[in-house]
Amino acid sequence: MTCTFRSSLLAAFAFLAPVVARAAVVDPELEALRARLYCPILSYLQAIHAHAPTPHERFLVVGWKGHDAYYVQCLFYDDDSRLLCEVASGFWETPRARLVPPERIPRLAALGFSTKGEKRNFQRRRRVTGPESLAETADTIVRAFREVYAVGAKEDFTMFASLVPKPPPHGTYVDGVCETASS
């Protein structure tokens, strides 16, 4: 009985080993993109959230420079207790375009976005429960550009938030956090 259990356990580990190995694989382009975008995006989200509530203008649009159709935008609503983020689908383009290839739809879903972009952008709603919500949202935006649009780290980006007319100061991305000179 012990031998059978051990054999089953070994077989299970052998089966799971490739899955675990794939999960441990790091995409160097994603990490380079995080190093460039995560802290500036997080700073914008923090600045908007810190601003006195207004009934409008509480959004951030991050665009792929030179490719205006490709963007991710987030809007604070319900007194900043919720965030609606959208990945551009191409529905609003003239003529309509499919910006997310079918093989990347599962990645979109894995990031928590709807997969129905035929009549609007791909959407994701979440509660804002504290600083970790903003950090997770910043990372989701970066991952959407890499995993959904397949954008490389050397590309340029634009960021627009009408409540934050100048880019807010931001730290440097180190091991998953933004470190400032005083950190």
Side-chain angles (χ1 to χ4, degrees):
M1 184 96 146
T2 304
C3 188
T4 303
F5 176 74
R6 191 176 309 153
S7 297
S8 298
L9 193 57
L10 288 172
F13 280 130
F15 175 74
L16 290 175
V19 174
V20 172
R22 275 195 306 266
V25 172
V26 175
D27 175 0
E29 284 290 311
L30 175 59
E31 289 308 304
L33 203 56
R34 276 185 178 126
R36 288 190 55 223
L37 292 179
Y38 176 80
C39 294
I41 291 170
L42 180 58
S43 290
Y44 267 105
L45 291 172
Q46 290 168 334
I48 295 165
H49 190 57
H51 196 281
T54 60
H56 47 72
E57 307 297 324
R58 305 192 67 74
F59 63 86
L60 169 65
V61 180
V62 182
W64 181 7
K65 195 171 189 177
H67 305 272
D68 294 342
Y70 294 83
Y71 59 86
V72 180
Q73 61 187 6
C74 293
L75 169 74
F76 288 92
Y77 67 102
D78 280 351
D79 294 321
D80 277 8
S81 67
R82 301 194 47 88
L83 262 170
L84 165 65
C85 293
E86 295 183 324
V87 169
S89 65
F91 175 80
W92 304 106
E93 295 302 305
T94 305
R96 284 198 181 134
R98 174 178 245 158
L99 302 179
V100 180
E103 66 273 10
R104 295 209 176 251
I105 294 294
R107 293 177 186 198
L108 188 68
L111 291 173
F113 288 91
S114 66
T115 56
K116 304 291 184 203
E118 305 88 37
K119 295 183 180 177
R120 63 178 182 264
N121 289 330
F122 301 105
Q123 297 185 341
R124 172 186 190 258
R125 295 175 189 268
R126 72 159 298 151
R127 291 199 178 283
V128 178
T129 57
E132 66 282 349
S133 301
L134 301 181
E136 189 272 338
T137 298
D139 193 60
T140 298
I141 293 170
V142 173
R143 290 180 60 199
F145 276 104
R146 178 67 190 146
E147 297 174 15
V148 177
Y149 291 145
V151 174
K154 293 182 180 174
E155 298 295 334
D156 289 322
F157 296 86
T158 60
M159 295 182 201
F160 175 75
S162 59
L163 283 180
V164 187
K166 291 195 273 186
H170 59 82
T172 302
Y173 183 80
V174 178
D175 296 327
V177 296
C178 296
E179 291 188 358
T180 60
S182 61
S183 302

